[in-house]
Amino acid sequence: MANIEGEKEEAPWKNLSNDILALILKRLNTKADLCRFRSICKSWRYFATPIQPHLHFPLTLPPLHPNSRPFSLSPTLLYILSPNFTLHNHNNVWLTKVSETGQNKWALLNPLTKHKLYFCSSGYFGKMIDLLGFRNLEVGRCYRLQLISYHGEENTFDFEDFSSSISLRKVVVKIGEKISVLGLYGYGEIALWNSGDEEWKIIETGKKNKKDYFDDVICYDGKFYAVDRAGRLVMIDSTALEIVEVVSTAEECNGQYTYLVECNFRLYLVNKIVNPRPSNYYDEKEEEWVVDKSCVGKPLGFKVFVLNERKNSWEKVRSLENKVLFVSRDATFSVCAEDLGWSKGNCIYFEGLTGYDDEADMSFGLNAGVYTLEDETITTFGSLVDHWTAIFWPPSSWFVHDEEYPEYEMQD
């Protein structure tokens, strides 16, 4: 392996024993992880040949509703890509999401949504992308659901077209001796599936006429958590199928949407405050008052809290320092500003500029924006391309060539 100066150096991991390699290999759950394992050196590649049969994904999950179809669940990996052996700056860093779409076929997705990235004639990656040919840093992962048709094929049918009673809005996964999948569905109810189960288990979150509805779920520190709009945090026991209250409420949590994010090995709560009512203005031309409903739900600001695990309480955060948070209904994750080539962070990328997390974007997310905690301002993307959007649109010149692409093979 060559270092920055081009000199040869002996990789210290080359001589690891087969017992240790077997332990590492056993903990890999995706083909992407296996590809990275095999790329370390020739001895590791030889050890992992043939492809290991223990890989868990894609998982086949039972339908949430008896009249629906089963699901296929696959991880999507969030990467920061840059050319090999270069220092990070905003001109050579690209944040993208990679999802497996078939046998050795992967698609590049918008980091804030489930949408594939498509390019005009000025952007082509070729028939094959070797992600291992770039300097890559995995900064998070979420999970992609697809329907399985009656013919056994996966279908990219949009889950939001389903009735809310059978739609899974978000899933998080815990991998241990068994695989557990926690799903948020409907208006904020919780379902749980453990490997070996024939059906989902519905977690009771209150009485029939007074149920608790949750905004977001996360797997943090090996446990499942859910949070509601008031900041009430609960832990879901995947064995007893019960919820245990951790925090009753967050005193200043009074926004419309809440998100859970892991950052620096701590659990954060992001509360999005939105405009609750329409505005009225007088139309002088028509000589009448007009009710403008388009502003309802538009974000006004954010509040951030961190979990104090000793006191079981949320503590308000005034600054994120060098961290950048990304929140959407599809995924939440955090990144160091330095990894994006920035001198400072302290901001939140968010989806849902219109007030609805509806993924109604085209390229890098026209329904998205950035909130900076330092001056408490919101920057909207629109058609603007600047340092806020350059990290994921358009791709840097070192990555793009000349034609259009739909999806690509990932070289092993």
Side-chain angles (χ1 to χ4, degrees):
M1 180 178 291
N3 60 18
I4 296 178
E5 289 77 23
E7 300 175 351
K8 298 287 184 180
E9 62 178 13
E10 188 71 17
W13 48 82
K14 180 179 179 181
N15 299 318
L16 290 180
S17 69
N18 287 350
D19 289 344
I20 295 177
L21 291 179
L23 289 174
I24 297 172
L25 195 59
K26 189 177 180 180
R27 285 163 172 76
L28 304 182
N29 301 299
T30 70
K31 293 178 182 177
D33 292 337
L34 183 62
C35 285
R36 298 180 76 174
F37 179 96
R38 288 161 57 85
S39 72
I40 299 298
C41 59
K42 288 183 179 180
S43 61
W44 283 39
R45 185 180 183 90
Y46 176 81
F47 185 82
T49 304
I51 298 295
Q52 299 301 304
H54 75 277
L55 297 180
H56 300 308
F57 297 98
L59 276 179
T60 298
L61 305 180
L64 190 60
H65 187 278
N67 297 325
S68 182
R69 286 181 277 165
F71 303 133
S72 174
L73 180 71
S74 299
T76 57
L77 310 179
L78 290 142
Y79 287 114
I80 292 177
L81 301 177
S82 60
N84 277 322
F85 311 123
T86 62
L87 297 177
H88 281 166
N89 64 59
H90 66 277
N91 292 321
N92 65 13
V93 168
W94 193 42
L95 175 65
T96 190
K97 186 160 60 176
V98 181
S99 176
E100 185 176 2
T101 60
Q103 185 66 33
N104 281 334
K105 289 188 179 295
W106 299 70
L108 300 179
L109 309 179
N110 183 315
L112 291 177
T113 73
K114 302 181 182 73
H115 287 280
K116 291 182 183 179
L117 296 179
Y118 292 93
F119 293 78
C120 61
S121 59
S122 62
Y124 181 60
F125 295 77
K127 294 180 180 179
M128 182 174 290
I129 298 176
D130 182 4
L131 289 181
L132 303 176
F134 301 98
R135 188 175 183 177
N136 61 73
L137 172 66
E138 183 181 328
V139 294
R141 63 178 60 190
C142 53
Y143 292 85
R144 182 170 178 256
L145 283 166
Q146 290 180 296
L147 281 177
I148 299 177
S149 73
Y150 295 114
H151 302 290
E153 299 174 350
E154 292 183 352
N155 189 325
T156 56
F157 192 88
D158 189 346
F159 278 88
E160 303 312 314
D161 289 343
F162 276 104
S163 161
S164 61
S165 64
I166 60 173
S167 170
L168 282 166
R169 291 162 45 190
K170 184 177 182 179
V171 293
V172 289
V173 176
K174 179 172 64 176
I175 301 174
E177 294 183 3
K178 282 189 173 184
I179 297 178
S180 297
V181 180
L182 187 75
L184 188 66
Y185 74 100
Y187 296 103
E189 298 180 76
I190 294 174
L192 182 72
W193 178 86
N194 292 313
S195 54
D197 290 350
E198 296 183 358
E199 59 184 16
W200 292 84
K201 303 292 192 305
I202 306 302
I203 306 297
E204 293 296 332
T205 59
K207 296 180 180 179
K208 186 175 182 180
N209 297 325
K210 195 179 179 180
K211 288 188 176 182
D212 295 321
Y213 295 111
F214 296 95
D215 264 13
D216 198 14
V217 290
I218 195 172
C219 183
Y220 165 72
D221 196 24
K223 300 174 184 177
F224 286 133
Y225 292 89
V227 69
D228 70 9
R229 199 155 294 180
R232 179 177 180 244
L233 181 72
V234 300
M235 189 270 289
I236 296 92
D237 188 325
S238 57
T239 303
L241 304 179
E242 296 176 346
I243 64 172
V244 179
E245 185 174 275
V246 180
V247 181
S248 57
T249 57
E251 188 173 330
E252 297 184 54
C253 187
N254 51 13
Q256 187 69 20
Y257 298 93
T258 53
Y259 306 91
L260 293 172
V261 191
E262 183 175 354
C263 178
N264 273 351
F265 305 103
R266 300 189 70 183
L267 186 60
Y268 283 73
L269 169 66
V270 177
N271 183 215
K272 181 163 69 174
I273 303 164
V274 302
N275 190 353
R277 58 180 63 89
S279 62
N280 301 327
Y281 67 92
Y282 186 75
D283 189 329
E284 294 184 357
K285 185 176 181 180
E286 298 294 333
E287 296 183 344
E288 63 180 7
W289 284 93
V290 176
V291 178
D292 181 12
K293 297 182 180 180
S294 64
C295 63
V296 176
K298 287 191 175 181
L300 302 176
F302 288 79
K303 294 179 182 178
V304 182
F305 306 85
V306 66
L307 178 64
N308 184 323
E309 297 189 46
R310 289 181 299 173
K311 297 182 179 180
N312 284 347
S313 63
W314 292 114
E315 296 180 351
K316 193 171 183 180
V317 173
R318 304 293 179 181
S319 171
L320 296 172
E321 297 180 347
N322 68 332
K323 294 296 182 179
V324 181
L325 304 185
F326 293 78
V327 297
S328 73
R329 67 174 175 181
D330 185 49
T332 62
F333 58 99
S334 62
V335 175
C336 285
E338 290 86 348
D339 291 329
L340 297 174
W342 296 353
S343 59
K344 63 178 182 178
N346 199 28
C347 62
I348 302 170
Y349 276 80
F350 66 92
E351 178 197 19
L353 185 62
T354 61
Y356 303 95
D357 292 342
D358 57 9
E359 302 179 13
D361 68 297
M362 295 180 185
S363 53
F364 55 82
L366 299 182
N367 189 26
V370 177
Y371 175 78
T372 54
L373 275 72
E374 184 176 1
D375 54 14
E376 300 182 344
T377 59
I378 291 177
T379 301
T380 60
F381 290 174
S383 58
L384 183 66
V385 176
D386 59 13
H387 90 285
W388 292 120
T389 61
I391 59 172
F392 48 86
W393 188 269
S396 300
S397 58
W398 51 265
F399 201 75
V400 176
H401 299 296
D402 289 320
E403 289 172 23
E404 189 172 327
Y405 86 97
E407 63 183 41
Y408 300 89
E409 294 182 0
M410 180 175 177
Q411 188 173 14
D412 177 18

